[in-house]
Amino acid sequence: MTAVYSSKVDLQAREKALKILYEKFREVLKSIMDGNPPKLVIKKRTLSNTVYDPEKKLLLLGDATFERSFLDLREARKFMQTLLMASIIYESLTNGEYPTIRDLYYRGKHTIRYRKLPSKAIGEENTWEEQSESDSVIRDIEVFTNVLREEMLILSKEKGKVVGELKIRSGDDVIDLSKMGHGAYAIEPTPDLIEFVDVNAEFVLVIEKDAVFQQLHRIGFWKKYRAILVTSAGQPDRATRRFVRRLNEELKLPVYVISDSDPYGYYIYSVFKTGSITLSYESERLATPQARFLGVMMTDIFGSDKLRKKPYLTEEERKNFIIKAKERDIKRAKELREYPWFKSDRWQLEIDEFLTRKVKLEIEALAGKGLKFLSDRYIPEKIEVGDWIV
Amino acid sequence: MTAVEEGFKAISPAEFFYKNKELAGFSNPARALYQTIRELIENSLDATENYGILPTVKVSIRELEKIPEGGYYEVVVEDNGVGIPPKYVPQAFAQLLFSSKYVLRQSRGMFGLGAKMAVLYAQITTGQPADVIVAPIKSKHIYSFKLKIDIKENKPVILSFSVTSNLHGKHGTLVRLVTLGDWSRAKQRIYEYIKRTAIIAPYAEIGFRDPEGNYILFERVIDKLPPPAREILPHPHGVDIETLKDIIRAKASKPIVETLKESFQGVGETTARRILEEAKIDPGKKSGELTDMEVEVLVKTMKNFKDVKPPRADYLSYLGNEIITAGLNKVFEPEFVYATTRKPSVYEGHAFIVEVGLAYGGKVPLVEKPLVLRYANKIPLLYDEGSDVVIKVLNESIDFSVYEIEFPAPLVILTHICSTKIPYKGVGKEAVADVPEIEKELENAIRDSLRELRSYILRKRKEMEEIEKAVTIAKYIPEVANSLSKIYKVDPREISVKLLEILNSRLKTFKIDDLSNVVV
């Protein structure tokens, strides 16, 4: 996997990451050589240390830290894993590689054989068992070094796609995102290394569902409405979130998000907007606080007397398209209702409506009513009248 | 003082004992074989350790003929004891109740009777005489006897007698009997008895050859003997009517005040006179002339007389920490052993000492309740465990969980009660009665020992936890060292050595000498 060629931005990123890793872990070596128990002081990545910053409207990592000491029985294994992972990342940076997190998992996984005392029986233990273990120490290293994995040239499998009138430079190539045919540009794992060259668009539309994205792409929605069309294909990955953030921040384009009308869909929107609980340490770079939730709203389906809003669906259509909510949907909605970033009146109204009606609706159902309804009425009309939630 | 100077005296007919052989433990062939072995071994131990000789006892049982009720066996027990002077041998082995009287001494045999019962039983069941060979200490000769008992007359009959030169300066006694027994039914008992004897007498070497040709040798593991049991006069608080009558009969012509002075410990001229004054008896009255009424009043007065020193205990033969732990170590190879000897205490005018030993872990088998080894005056008590005071204390007063012991556990509890008079329960003499004073001493000694065990268990548990911790961390050292060496180009071995040093410096009870002990 040794790269025979690296672009200049890559090389710079590598050198920067190597230097920080070298500096940050030197404390550990020094401790050992001085005869002191080595330890790492890392910010806690727990729900309790995840803070919603109402000013920035972001989910951020708090200031609470914990000590991962090698001599602490509960932390010894994690300490070993953290150093093992650091050395693997360091080596792959030196070698000019682009490992995925799965690669790192395999590269570090091996068996430690040891003798139990006093029985002297042989014990075996893997450096890590599941990829979740190695992923977890990657996150710890990101927090400890304050360098994101993308900046360490670690790739993850990205599924985000984009089309629209946008020219970018990726590596040494300039790519025109309006000339992708029926396909789309796959957002690269290191979106920070992308350079925006030229843009002609008025807004960004993020579609949770890949199928609906493709439908809108084929009927030329982005051309007609001068949009940049993005899909996260489900839960958004880091690259997609970072890319959307850059579109908003650097190109000053408003971002609209469309997801299913259920608590999971709402949460996907909030991940774009405020960040996720597990990756709160990256929110400042990944979240788009200005992102607008366009739909699908409960009030789109049923209308609202309070908002003086008429429903987009008839009684008959509702019968065909809506699905009964499951027990876990209800439970999730009740959790969502308590998150500070869902505490606005507008969101409480939507969630309460969901809890009252106990039904959900997928975006595909709106496309099912007619693709034209979705592309030429529902979306443009809602943007036009400003029927979105921030 | 040797056995022969104790004033032997013939009292009671052999016939009585034969008719009441259950009393002495000869009720059936199996029991008789066991009892024969036991009596002879106990005589041998008394004849050695009480005279400062480290015992070497050789025991063999050979089957001569099988018969429906068992078999005829030749039993030989040989020791390196003082050896009875030849002129006393016939009485000592072939005349019942030839024994010292009116003085007390802690000894294994109860009446000085056991060996004679064995001889008598052998004679009755097989018609064979007993062979007794003695070599008294420093004697130039060895004396061999063939003896029988004239049952009607209770007199020894010497069938043959010979003298040979003691060329090698040997000393000791050999007894050979041919007797009715039942090895297959006595086997387990006899082995258990010998094993338990070996535990409490680790200063003895005991060899045993059984009728099946097996040989087992319990080697001597300690050269220290318990202090010898010495004779002591009875204490006034421990007197009873029969004993007092025996005493005044023996000293009939002496004034009672002299008899009291001569016959009881702690009683001098003043005390004797005060006792008699309280009992309203003329001190000058001849002992033999006391009426039954006066004897009764005198006993009562003596028992309740306050102003007398408590019974002396310095003549008791206790084992002490060293011997008990040596015995437990030898037989059980435990990882923890502890023994405690309580200060002497008194019940009903008799001094006693309680000792307790514990063995835990190691090769001690796991048991659902503690394996209890009971001893009284160094004799193992094998039966009637359920009614013994030790079991009562263990069942009613000891909560093992308080001492961090959860059963099944590898735990042996040894108890030893020594006294001039062991308060046995029933005629079997296998269980000690629950006398409150003894119960209290046992409880204290057991608790004291268990507290020691508890701190050992806790210490050990801590150590185990620390070892576990050390391994948990140490196994990652090479991984951490390699990882750092990849970034900083430092020799990973150097980092490993440092890390191990840091780890060891934080361990209190355990160190890892070399990483290769943990990392494979």
Side-chain angles (χ1 to χ4, degrees), chain B residues 421-445:
Chain B
K421 187 175 182 235
I422 302 284
Y424 284 112
K425 211 178 211 176
V427 293
K429 300 194 166 30
E430 292 282 0
V432 177
D434 37 356
V435 176
E437 292 87 347
I438 294 182
E439 209 176 312
K440 186 170 155 262
E441 284 299 302
L442 274 169
E443 193 181 318
N444 286 335

Side-chain angles (χ1 to χ4, degrees), chain B residues 269-281:
Chain B
E269 180 77 21
T270 320
T271 308
R273 283 186 181 278
R274 284 179 54 200
I275 290 173
L276 289 167
E277 193 186 329
E278 218 178 296
K280 300 193 170 61
I281 296 170

Side-chain angles (χ1 to χ4, degrees), chain B residues 239-250:
Chain B
V239 76
D240 59 58
I241 290 175
E242 286 314 306
T243 313
L244 188 60
K245 277 185 175 171
D246 283 345
I247 291 171
I248 58 180
R249 204 177 295 132

